[in-house]
Amino acid sequence: MMAMMAMMRIVLDFGNTLHKAGIFDGEKLIRLEKYTRLNRPKLNELLTEFPDVKAGIASAVVRYPPGIKKFLQTNLNVFVELTGATPLPLINRYKSPATLGSDRIACAVAASRLFPEDPSLVINTGTCITYDLVTAQNEYLGGAISPGLQMRLKAMHTFTRKLPLVNLQDPDGLIGTTTRESMISGAVYGAAKEVLGTIGAYRKAYPNLQVILSGGDMEYLDKLLKIRIFALPNVVMVGLNYILEYNLQYAK
């Protein structure tokens, strides 16, 4: 059992925007690759570089090439595809687990591992901004989903006649002096105020709440929040690694 638990592992996260592959040595992320599309040759290249990887997990919120699953099942001693039936190291109280995104449950598992004695809220800033709550009793309750920063900018362009398509960047200030500046200010400052308000509401209900901020767009919000939070850029990958570690005990 101990030898199996000490295996080097590969963690795959197929997200809406990027596909990510992480190599873990125990709890340490030693390599992270990001792809617009991960395919079998690229995966084979990574595993060839790390021949000691013997276990892996894949999480997907989008469809990914079926050949990747077969390749991992063939080349690893243990492979876990995260589904609603995968054993988890927490109690899942979500009322519709079949519709729960695997990225959200990975966030929750990471939080429960990092703060086992406190309630915790994970805020993941990707395509959407997700909020996921874990209680001090190790129960995942759920949370919220709202549009991400880039989605807000794209929506303003898509659903109006004259607003341009604007690339995400740091706002020059609170007051935008051009249409582009105004859109960026509205998206970023608006999201920051949403995050602050949500944290405040959760902390009223859970006074000892720990807050984790993560995701590809966290840098735009982190500098505006100015409150006590724990920044963990790759929280989904960390959570998936913990889920894999937990499932290794069931492997034969």
Side-chain angles (χ1 to χ4, degrees), residues 72-168:
L72 292 170
Q73 289 173 327
T74 301
N75 289 275
L76 299 177
N77 293 346
V78 179
F79 172 67
V80 175
E81 185 177 43
L82 183 58
T83 69
T86 303
L88 300 171
L90 49 64
I91 302 166
N92 188 355
R93 299 294 190 194
Y94 205 65
K95 291 183 179 180
S96 58
T99 66
L100 177 61
S102 54
D103 53 340
R104 294 182 65 194
I105 199 64
C107 287
V109 169
S112 71
R113 182 70 170 261
L114 293 170
F115 300 106
E117 298 180 356
D118 296 312
S120 52
L121 179 69
V122 185
I123 304 169
N124 194 27
T125 60
T127 304
C128 292
I129 300 175
T130 58
Y131 303 84
D132 292 290
L133 178 72
V134 180
T135 69
Q137 291 73 42
N138 200 34
E139 296 178 315
Y140 172 66
L141 300 187
I145 305 172
S146 72
L149 298 180
Q150 297 186 62
M151 186 182 293
R152 294 172 194 231
L153 291 171
K154 289 179 181 178
M156 284 189 272
H157 168 69
T158 300
F159 294 106
T160 64
R161 289 182 179 272
K162 293 186 177 181
L163 291 181
L165 182 60
V166 177
N167 292 324
L168 179 61

